[in-house]
Amino acid sequence: IMVLIYSALFLLSQTSDSPTSLAISVALIIIATPYSVYDAALWLSALATFGIVTTTELWEKKRDMSALRKAVDYVGSSLFVTFVATSGTLAITAFVFGATSLLAAPATLIFSVICELVLYVGSFMLILGDIIPIGKILAPLCELIYDLASIMSEPDIVYLQIDSVLMKILILIYTI
């Protein structure tokens, strides 16, 4: 929904506004399914997306840079966006689930890079998928990603229980 609104705004006014597109998308979802206002997944997605689009827009600068500087800038912006997205969802995660993941930021960073690679590989497969059996080539990688996700979501290792009122207040202050 957000991409459609973003595209429509660009086509109609020759500009694009990600926060507005996100707000309209969330409003449409709530109008279509009013009970979704109580859905933690909607708010986690909306807040993480808000953090990503606002920090990405602030970080991006149109300037000439060397390849090394572009790589360093890409890593720096990825770390910053991951930190903001994780911070923005911390309070909801703590209050809804009663715990927070100690690996949320590293997992977000790792899996965002993997998702970007999957998008490129998927585009490649659309073009040459019938010629090159890339699915068989990537099967071990898919298993590795699944194993990594399983390890990073192991409750005994990863999650910090949020039991005290003081901890909840500190998390709320930090998120704001």
Side-chain angles (χ1 to χ4, degrees), residues 1 22-23 25-31 33-50 89 92:
I1 295 171
L22 176 62
S25 299
V26 170
L28 288 174
I29 290 169
I30 292 172
I31 289 168
T33 53
Y35 58 86
S36 66
V37 75
Y38 300 109
D39 188 4
L42 172 67
W43 296 113
L44 288 170
S45 297
L47 288 172
T49 303
F50 180 73
T89 59
I92 291 178

Side-chain angles (χ1 to χ4, degrees), residues 52-71:
I52 290 167
V53 298
T54 55
T55 54
T56 301
E57 288 177 359
L58 290 174
W59 194 278
E60 288 179 349
K61 297 176 184 130
K62 304 293 182 197
R63 58 187 165 144
D64 294 328
M65 292 188 271
S66 67
L68 178 61
R69 177 70 181 139
K70 285 181 184 180

Side-chain angles (χ1 to χ4, degrees), residues 120-135:
Y120 291 126
V121 170
S123 299
F124 180 73
M125 287 178 63
L126 284 173
I127 298 167
L128 299 174
D130 291 335
I131 300 168
I132 301 171
I134 199 157

Side-chain angles (χ1 to χ4, degrees), residues 48-128:
T49 303
F50 180 73
I52 290 167
V53 298
T54 55
T55 54
T56 301
E57 288 177 359
L58 290 174
W59 194 278
E60 288 179 349
K61 297 176 184 130
K62 304 293 182 197
R63 58 187 165 144
D64 294 328
M65 292 188 271
S66 67
L68 178 61
R69 177 70 181 139
K70 285 181 184 180
V72 169
D73 193 56
Y74 176 77
V75 170
S77 69
S78 296
L79 290 171
F80 185 67
V81 166
T82 299
F83 172 75
V84 169
T86 305
S87 298
T89 59
L90 181 62
I92 291 178
T93 304
F95 287 107
V96 171
F97 302 110
T100 188
S101 173
L102 298 173
L103 294 178
T108 301
L109 185 61
I110 290 168
F111 287 106
S112 65
V113 171
I114 290 172
C115 287
E116 191 170 339
L117 292 173
V118 166
L119 287 172
Y120 291 126
V121 170
S123 299
F124 180 73
M125 287 178 63
L126 284 173
I127 298 167
L128 299 174

